[in-house]
Amino acid sequence: MTIKEITELRKSGHLAEAMAAAEIEFSKAANQYTAGALFWCLNARIKQQSGDDIEATFERMKAIYNEFLSGDEFVQTAMNSAEKSICPHYSELKAAVENAKNGADAISLHKQISNWYNAGELDSRLYPDFGWLTYYALKQTDVNDAQKRKSLLNVYLKLDLPKPSILHSRILGEAVQVEKSTPLQFRIRDFVRLWGLENLRSEDWEQFTTEGGNTMSSLVEKLIGVYVKEIKTDNVEVPDDFCQLVDKALEKFPGSQNLPQQKAIVLISQGRTDEALSYYKDMILRSPAKFFLWEQAADLVQDIDTKIGLLCKALTCGADDNFIVKVRLSLAKLLIQAGMPSNAKYELEKHRQTRQANGWSLKEEFKILYNQLAAVEATADNNAIYAKYSVKADEFIYSSFPTVLAVKVDEKQNDDRNHPGRKITTWILRTEKSTERWRKP
C-alpha cells in the first residue's frame, strides 16, 4: 500500500487498518517515508490510549523519531505532546484546560490541579498547560478580588515558562487589569520587573479598531498608562528600561494624546523637571483647553507669578467647576503667599460652593486656609487677576516662539461640542505668508 493510501486511511478514521499497513510497509523498507507513515499512526493511537499502553507507544515513537525523523519540526511538536501524555495527571489536566477554555468553572478546576502541583505530583512538562489553566482562572476571578488574582499571578510566575509567548503576554494583560481595578492593592512595577519587558512581542504593540471605528490601545499603551499612574502616586523613580519603553512608544504612536504626558511624568520621577516642562509646553500648545495641563505645569515651576498665571489659565479654559475645584484651592494658597487675601478668599468661597453643591465634604486643608481669612471679605470676582497673571503664563509657554506680526481680520463663534450651550471663539489672523485660525486666548 502506498504512503498516501495509508495516510488517507488514518485520516478517515480507519486507524487499525492504517496501522497494520504502515507496519507492513515499514518492515519491507525502513526509510524516512515509511517511518513517517508509521509515526503518525502511532501518534493517533497514543491519543486513544491510557496507562502502560501510552508509555509503550511513546517509546516506539521516540525510537522512530531518533533514527529516521530527527529535525522535522512537525514531528518534534507531536513528540512533545506525546511525551506529556505519559505524565501522571495529563489526561485530567488536558480535560481541565479544554473545559476551562470552553467556559467551564476554571477556578474550581484550577484548585483541583493545584493540589497535585503543590504536592509536587505535576510533572514540569505539564507546566505550560497548567499555565493556561491559571490564565483561564484569572479571567473568571472577580476583577475586584485583588488577593485571589495576585495569588494566581504568583502561581504563573513560579512556573517560569518559556517566553516570550502568547500566554506570557495575556498574563501581562491580566496584571494590567488588576492594577487598573485595584491600584492600591497591587504593584505593577514589581510584577513587570519579574515578567520582563524584554519579553514583549511585536503583537503587544498592535492597536486594533472596533466595528464602530474606534481605535483601541495596544497592550503596551495600557501597561504604560497604569505603570505611570502608579509611579506618580507612589512618588518613585522610573527604571531605565521602562523609560526606554516609553520613548519607543512615543516613536511608535506619534499621534497619542496620553504618551507625552506620561513621558513628562517619567521625567519628573527622574528629577528632570526642565525636560518635563518642555513636554508640557508642547502639550499646552496642542491642547490649550485642557485645564489639567496648565495645572500640572504649575507644579513644576518655582516663580510664584508664573505659577499663579498657569493656574489662572487652568481656571479660564472653560472647564466645568466640578473639575477645577482643586485648582481653586491651589490658587488660593498662592494668592495668600502673594499678599492678595481678598482674591484668595474669593477662590476659597468658589471652592466651598462647588463642594457643598455636590455634597462633598470640605478637606482639612481648606478649613485651615479659610480660618486664616475669616475676617477677610472676598472680592466680587477675580477677573482682573486672571487677566493680569494669564499674561505671565502666556509669556512662559510661548517664550521660545519667534515673534510673527499678524493682523486679526475676523472672528467666529461655534458651538463647543464638549460643553453644550457654550461657544468657542476663533480668531482669523493674517500674517505675511498665511492665514491662521486660532482659538481666542
PDB file of all heavy atoms in Angstrom, residues 169-193:
ATOM      1  N   SER A 169       2.096  37.130  27.377  1.00  0.00           N
ATOM      2  CA  SER A 169       1.509  38.446  27.094  1.00  0.00           C
ATOM      3  C   SER A 169       0.101  38.557  27.672  1.00  0.00           C
ATOM      4  O   SER A 169      -0.286  39.612  28.188  1.00  0.00           O
ATOM      5  CB  SER A 169       1.479  38.690  25.586  1.00  0.00           C
ATOM      6  OG  SER A 169       2.789  38.832  25.079  1.00  0.00           O
ATOM      7  N   ARG A 170      -0.651  37.473  27.600  1.00  0.00           N
ATOM      8  CA  ARG A 170      -2.018  37.525  28.158  1.00  0.00           C
ATOM      9  C   ARG A 170      -1.991  37.666  29.674  1.00  0.00           C
ATOM     10  O   ARG A 170      -2.845  38.334  30.263  1.00  0.00           O
ATOM     11  CB  ARG A 170      -2.797  36.276  27.741  1.00  0.00           C
ATOM     12  CG  ARG A 170      -3.122  36.256  26.257  1.00  0.00           C
ATOM     13  CD  ARG A 170      -4.117  35.181  25.909  1.00  0.00           C
ATOM     14  NE  ARG A 170      -4.433  35.181  24.487  1.00  0.00           N
ATOM     15  CZ  ARG A 170      -5.304  34.364  23.923  1.00  0.00           C
ATOM     16  NH1 ARG A 170      -5.943  33.463  24.653  1.00  0.00           N
ATOM     17  NH2 ARG A 170      -5.541  34.426  22.625  1.00  0.00           N
ATOM     18  N   ILE A 171      -1.011  37.040  30.294  1.00  0.00           N
ATOM     19  CA  ILE A 171      -0.861  37.188  31.736  1.00  0.00           C
ATOM     20  C   ILE A 171      -0.538  38.641  32.078  1.00  0.00           C
ATOM     21  O   ILE A 171      -1.056  39.200  33.053  1.00  0.00           O
ATOM     22  CB  ILE A 171       0.244  36.241  32.262  1.00  0.00           C
ATOM     23  CG1 ILE A 171      -0.228  34.781  32.203  1.00  0.00           C
ATOM     24  CG2 ILE A 171       0.648  36.626  33.677  1.00  0.00           C
ATOM     25  CD1 ILE A 171      -1.354  34.430  33.151  1.00  0.00           C
ATOM     26  N   LEU A 172       0.301  39.282  31.272  1.00  0.00           N
ATOM     27  CA  LEU A 172       0.591  40.704  31.481  1.00  0.00           C
ATOM     28  C   LEU A 172      -0.685  41.532  31.375  1.00  0.00           C
ATOM     29  O   LEU A 172      -0.908  42.453  32.158  1.00  0.00           O
ATOM     30  CB  LEU A 172       1.625  41.194  30.469  1.00  0.00           C
ATOM     31  CG  LEU A 172       1.961  42.691  30.530  1.00  0.00           C
ATOM     32  CD1 LEU A 172       2.547  43.064  31.894  1.00  0.00           C
ATOM     33  CD2 LEU A 172       2.933  43.082  29.418  1.00  0.00           C
ATOM     34  N   GLY A 173      -1.523  41.181  30.402  1.00  0.00           N
ATOM     35  CA  GLY A 173      -2.791  41.883  30.249  1.00  0.00           C
ATOM     36  C   GLY A 173      -3.662  41.772  31.488  1.00  0.00           C
ATOM     37  O   GLY A 173      -4.326  42.727  31.901  1.00  0.00           O
ATOM     38  N   GLU A 174      -3.654  40.593  32.121  1.00  0.00           N
ATOM     39  CA  GLU A 174      -4.420  40.410  33.352  1.00  0.00           C
ATOM     40  C   GLU A 174      -3.820  41.218  34.498  1.00  0.00           C
ATOM     41  O   GLU A 174      -4.550  41.771  35.324  1.00  0.00           O
ATOM     42  CB  GLU A 174      -4.466  38.924  33.720  1.00  0.00           C
ATOM     43  CG  GLU A 174      -5.332  38.082  32.792  1.00  0.00           C
ATOM     44  CD  GLU A 174      -6.761  38.578  32.711  1.00  0.00           C
ATOM     45  OE1 GLU A 174      -7.395  38.749  33.775  1.00  0.00           O
ATOM     46  OE2 GLU A 174      -7.255  38.818  31.594  1.00  0.00           O
ATOM     47  N   ALA A 175      -2.490  41.289  34.550  1.00  0.00           N
ATOM     48  CA  ALA A 175      -1.830  42.087  35.589  1.00  0.00           C
ATOM     49  C   ALA A 175      -2.184  43.563  35.439  1.00  0.00           C
ATOM     50  O   ALA A 175      -2.410  44.272  36.429  1.00  0.00           O
ATOM     51  CB  ALA A 175      -0.321  41.887  35.517  1.00  0.00           C
ATOM     52  N   VAL A 176      -2.228  44.041  34.204  1.00  0.00           N
ATOM     53  CA  VAL A 176      -2.625  45.428  33.938  1.00  0.00           C
ATOM     54  C   VAL A 176      -4.042  45.672  34.448  1.00  0.00           C
ATOM     55  O   VAL A 176      -4.336  46.716  35.043  1.00  0.00           O
ATOM     56  CB  VAL A 176      -2.520  45.741  32.433  1.00  0.00           C
ATOM     57  CG1 VAL A 176      -3.207  47.068  32.102  1.00  0.00           C
ATOM     58  CG2 VAL A 176      -1.065  45.790  31.995  1.00  0.00           C
ATOM     59  N   GLN A 177      -4.918  44.690  34.240  1.00  0.00           N
ATOM     60  CA  GLN A 177      -6.303  44.826  34.688  1.00  0.00           C
ATOM     61  C   GLN A 177      -6.386  44.852  36.210  1.00  0.00           C
ATOM     62  O   GLN A 177      -7.200  45.582  36.787  1.00  0.00           O
ATOM     63  CB  GLN A 177      -7.147  43.671  34.141  1.00  0.00           C
ATOM     64  CG  GLN A 177      -8.635  43.802  34.413  1.00  0.00           C
ATOM     65  CD  GLN A 177      -9.229  45.066  33.816  1.00  0.00           C
ATOM     66  OE1 GLN A 177      -9.013  45.376  32.649  1.00  0.00           O
ATOM     67  NE2 GLN A 177      -9.980  45.806  34.612  1.00  0.00           N
ATOM     68  N   VAL A 178      -5.539  44.052  36.882  1.00  0.00           N
ATOM     69  CA  VAL A 178      -5.509  44.069  38.353  1.00  0.00           C
ATOM     70  C   VAL A 178      -5.113  45.458  38.846  1.00  0.00           C
ATOM     71  O   VAL A 178      -5.735  46.018  39.753  1.00  0.00           O
ATOM     72  CB  VAL A 178      -4.518  43.013  38.904  1.00  0.00           C
ATOM     73  CG1 VAL A 178      -4.404  43.146  40.426  1.00  0.00           C
ATOM     74  CG2 VAL A 178      -4.974  41.605  38.549  1.00  0.00           C
ATOM     75  N   GLU A 179      -4.062  46.026  38.247  1.00  0.00           N
ATOM     76  CA  GLU A 179      -3.606  47.359  38.643  1.00  0.00           C
ATOM     77  C   GLU A 179      -4.679  48.406  38.370  1.00  0.00           C
ATOM     78  O   GLU A 179      -4.884  49.323  39.178  1.00  0.00           O
ATOM     79  CB  GLU A 179      -2.326  47.713  37.877  1.00  0.00           C
ATOM     80  CG  GLU A 179      -1.839  49.135  38.070  1.00  0.00           C
ATOM     81  CD  GLU A 179      -1.306  49.409  39.467  1.00  0.00           C
ATOM     82  OE1 GLU A 179      -0.991  48.443  40.189  1.00  0.00           O
ATOM     83  OE2 GLU A 179      -1.213  50.594  39.839  1.00  0.00           O
ATOM     84  N   LYS A 180      -5.370  48.262  37.263  1.00  0.00           N
ATOM     85  CA  LYS A 180      -6.402  49.236  36.892  1.00  0.00           C
ATOM     86  C   LYS A 180      -7.595  49.167  37.839  1.00  0.00           C
ATOM     87  O   LYS A 180      -8.146  50.200  38.221  1.00  0.00           O
ATOM     88  CB  LYS A 180      -6.855  48.969  35.453  1.00  0.00           C
ATOM     89  CG  LYS A 180      -7.838  49.988  34.915  1.00  0.00           C
ATOM     90  CD  LYS A 180      -8.179  49.682  33.458  1.00  0.00           C
ATOM     91  CE  LYS A 180      -9.178  50.693  32.909  1.00  0.00           C
ATOM     92  NZ  LYS A 180      -9.517  50.403  31.493  1.00  0.00           N
ATOM     93  N   SER A 181      -7.988  47.953  38.226  1.00  0.00           N
ATOM     94  CA  SER A 181      -9.178  47.765  39.057  1.00  0.00           C
ATOM     95  C   SER A 181      -8.898  47.990  40.539  1.00  0.00           C
ATOM     96  O   SER A 181      -9.745  48.511  41.262  1.00  0.00           O
ATOM     97  CB  SER A 181      -9.746  46.355  38.855  1.00  0.00           C
ATOM     98  OG  SER A 181     -10.068  46.128  37.504  1.00  0.00           O
ATOM     99  N   THR A 182      -7.714  47.580  41.001  1.00  0.00           N
ATOM    100  CA  THR A 182      -7.388  47.689  42.430  1.00  0.00           C
ATOM    101  C   THR A 182      -5.980  48.264  42.597  1.00  0.00           C
ATOM    102  O   THR A 182      -5.063  47.573  43.061  1.00  0.00           O
ATOM    103  CB  THR A 182      -7.480  46.313  43.112  1.00  0.00           C
ATOM    104  OG1 THR A 182      -6.685  45.368  42.354  1.00  0.00           O
ATOM    105  CG2 THR A 182      -8.908  45.812  43.165  1.00  0.00           C
ATOM    106  N   PRO A 183      -5.772  49.526  42.223  1.00  0.00           N
ATOM    107  CA  PRO A 183      -4.420  50.094  42.171  1.00  0.00           C
ATOM    108  C   PRO A 183      -3.695  50.156  43.507  1.00  0.00           C
ATOM    109  O   PRO A 183      -2.469  50.103  43.543  1.00  0.00           O
ATOM    110  CB  PRO A 183      -4.661  51.502  41.610  1.00  0.00           C
ATOM    111  CG  PRO A 183      -6.086  51.804  41.929  1.00  0.00           C
ATOM    112  CD  PRO A 183      -6.801  50.502  41.832  1.00  0.00           C
ATOM    113  N   LEU A 184      -4.414  50.270  44.613  1.00  0.00           N
ATOM    114  CA  LEU A 184      -3.765  50.391  45.907  1.00  0.00           C
ATOM    115  C   LEU A 184      -3.410  49.038  46.515  1.00  0.00           C
ATOM    116  O   LEU A 184      -2.793  48.968  47.574  1.00  0.00           O
ATOM    117  CB  LEU A 184      -4.669  51.182  46.874  1.00  0.00           C
ATOM    118  CG  LEU A 184      -5.008  52.619  46.441  1.00  0.00           C
ATOM    119  CD1 LEU A 184      -5.907  53.283  47.459  1.00  0.00           C
ATOM    120  CD2 LEU A 184      -3.737  53.434  46.244  1.00  0.00           C
ATOM    121  N   GLN A 185      -3.795  47.960  45.837  1.00  0.00           N
ATOM    122  CA  GLN A 185      -3.550  46.620  46.370  1.00  0.00           C
ATOM    123  C   GLN A 185      -2.586  45.806  45.505  1.00  0.00           C
ATOM    124  O   GLN A 185      -2.429  44.606  45.709  1.00  0.00           O
ATOM    125  CB  GLN A 185      -4.887  45.863  46.484  1.00  0.00           C
ATOM    126  CG  GLN A 185      -5.907  46.560  47.372  1.00  0.00           C
ATOM    127  CD  GLN A 185      -7.224  45.806  47.397  1.00  0.00           C
ATOM    128  OE1 GLN A 185      -7.267  44.626  47.706  1.00  0.00           O
ATOM    129  NE2 GLN A 185      -8.316  46.496  47.054  1.00  0.00           N
ATOM    130  N   PHE A 186      -1.954  46.459  44.565  1.00  0.00           N
ATOM    131  CA  PHE A 186      -1.086  45.746  43.622  1.00  0.00           C
ATOM    132  C   PHE A 186      -0.003  46.690  43.136  1.00  0.00           C
ATOM    133  O   PHE A 186      -0.237  47.897  42.998  1.00  0.00           O
ATOM    134  CB  PHE A 186      -1.930  45.253  42.435  1.00  0.00           C
ATOM    135  CG  PHE A 186      -1.184  44.395  41.456  1.00  0.00           C
ATOM    136  CD1 PHE A 186      -0.710  43.142  41.819  1.00  0.00           C
ATOM    137  CD2 PHE A 186      -0.951  44.843  40.161  1.00  0.00           C
ATOM    138  CE1 PHE A 186      -0.037  42.348  40.904  1.00  0.00           C
ATOM    139  CE2 PHE A 186      -0.278  44.051  39.241  1.00  0.00           C
ATOM    140  CZ  PHE A 186       0.187  42.793  39.623  1.00  0.00           C
ATOM    141  N   ARG A 187       1.194  46.165  42.898  1.00  0.00           N
ATOM    142  CA  ARG A 187       2.277  46.975  42.354  1.00  0.00           C
ATOM    143  C   ARG A 187       2.663  46.442  40.984  1.00  0.00           C
ATOM    144  O   ARG A 187       3.339  45.425  40.868  1.00  0.00           O
ATOM    145  CB  ARG A 187       3.492  46.940  43.289  1.00  0.00           C
ATOM    146  CG  ARG A 187       3.372  47.869  44.476  1.00  0.00           C
ATOM    147  CD  ARG A 187       4.684  47.934  45.226  1.00  0.00           C
ATOM    148  NE  ARG A 187       4.619  48.882  46.323  1.00  0.00           N
ATOM    149  CZ  ARG A 187       5.616  49.086  47.177  1.00  0.00           C
ATOM    150  NH1 ARG A 187       6.743  48.401  47.044  1.00  0.00           N
ATOM    151  NH2 ARG A 187       5.499  49.951  48.154  1.00  0.00           N
ATOM    152  N   ILE A 188       2.226  47.148  39.973  1.00  0.00           N
ATOM    153  CA  ILE A 188       2.507  46.700  38.613  1.00  0.00           C
ATOM    154  C   ILE A 188       4.005  46.759  38.329  1.00  0.00           C
ATOM    155  O   ILE A 188       4.534  45.936  37.579  1.00  0.00           O
ATOM    156  CB  ILE A 188       1.711  47.547  37.576  1.00  0.00           C
ATOM    157  CG1 ILE A 188       1.787  46.925  36.172  1.00  0.00           C
ATOM    158  CG2 ILE A 188       2.208  48.977  37.552  1.00  0.00           C
ATOM    159  CD1 ILE A 188       1.093  45.606  36.033  1.00  0.00           C
ATOM    160  N   ARG A 189       4.708  47.696  38.931  1.00  0.00           N
ATOM    161  CA  ARG A 189       6.141  47.812  38.642  1.00  0.00           C
ATOM    162  C   ARG A 189       6.908  46.594  39.161  1.00  0.00           C
ATOM    163  O   ARG A 189       7.890  46.167  38.545  1.00  0.00           O
ATOM    164  CB  ARG A 189       6.712  49.113  39.208  1.00  0.00           C
ATOM    165  CG  ARG A 189       6.669  49.265  40.713  1.00  0.00           C
ATOM    166  CD  ARG A 189       7.214  50.636  41.105  1.00  0.00           C
ATOM    167  NE  ARG A 189       7.353  50.818  42.551  1.00  0.00           N
ATOM    168  CZ  ARG A 189       6.388  51.228  43.338  1.00  0.00           C
ATOM    169  NH1 ARG A 189       5.179  51.501  42.834  1.00  0.00           N
ATOM    170  NH2 ARG A 189       6.599  51.386  44.641  1.00  0.00           N
ATOM    171  N   ASP A 190       6.487  46.045  40.301  1.00  0.00           N
ATOM    172  CA  ASP A 190       7.142  44.841  40.821  1.00  0.00           C
ATOM    173  C   ASP A 190       6.841  43.640  39.922  1.00  0.00           C
ATOM    174  O   ASP A 190       7.718  42.811  39.656  1.00  0.00           O
ATOM    175  CB  ASP A 190       6.680  44.554  42.248  1.00  0.00           C
ATOM    176  CG  ASP A 190       7.215  45.574  43.247  1.00  0.00           C
ATOM    177  OD1 ASP A 190       8.189  46.272  42.901  1.00  0.00           O
ATOM    178  OD2 ASP A 190       6.659  45.672  44.347  1.00  0.00           O
ATOM    179  N   PHE A 191       5.594  43.561  39.463  1.00  0.00           N
ATOM    180  CA  PHE A 191       5.223  42.450  38.577  1.00  0.00           C
ATOM    181  C   PHE A 191       6.000  42.522  37.265  1.00  0.00           C
ATOM    182  O   PHE A 191       6.528  41.517  36.785  1.00  0.00           O
ATOM    183  CB  PHE A 191       3.717  42.478  38.295  1.00  0.00           C
ATOM    184  CG  PHE A 191       3.269  41.381  37.366  1.00  0.00           C
ATOM    185  CD1 PHE A 191       2.969  40.123  37.837  1.00  0.00           C
ATOM    186  CD2 PHE A 191       3.184  41.616  35.995  1.00  0.00           C
ATOM    187  CE1 PHE A 191       2.585  39.106  36.971  1.00  0.00           C
ATOM    188  CE2 PHE A 191       2.804  40.612  35.120  1.00  0.00           C
ATOM    189  CZ  PHE A 191       2.503  39.351  35.619  1.00  0.00           C
ATOM    190  N   VAL A 192       6.090  43.716  36.706  1.00  0.00           N
ATOM    191  CA  VAL A 192       6.777  43.894  35.424  1.00  0.00           C
ATOM    192  C   VAL A 192       8.254  43.533  35.544  1.00  0.00           C
ATOM    193  O   VAL A 192       8.847  42.968  34.613  1.00  0.00           O
ATOM    194  CB  VAL A 192       6.598  45.346  34.919  1.00  0.00           C
ATOM    195  CG1 VAL A 192       7.564  45.655  33.789  1.00  0.00           C
ATOM    196  CG2 VAL A 192       5.161  45.558  34.458  1.00  0.00           C
ATOM    197  N   ARG A 193       8.855  43.844  36.677  1.00  0.00           N
ATOM    198  CA  ARG A 193      10.260  43.506  36.883  1.00  0.00           C
ATOM    199  C   ARG A 193      10.471  41.986  36.790  1.00  0.00           C
ATOM    200  O   ARG A 193      11.465  41.514  36.227  1.00  0.00           O
ATOM    201  CB  ARG A 193      10.716  44.026  38.250  1.00  0.00           C
ATOM    202  CG  ARG A 193      12.154  43.689  38.603  1.00  0.00           C
ATOM    203  CD  ARG A 193      12.567  44.402  39.881  1.00  0.00           C
ATOM    204  NE  ARG A 193      11.591  44.216  40.948  1.00  0.00           N
ATOM    205  CZ  ARG A 193      11.533  43.129  41.722  1.00  0.00           C
ATOM    206  NH1 ARG A 193      12.380  42.134  41.526  1.00  0.00           N
ATOM    207  NH2 ARG A 193      10.634  43.041  42.677  1.00  0.00           N
TER     208      ARG A 193
END
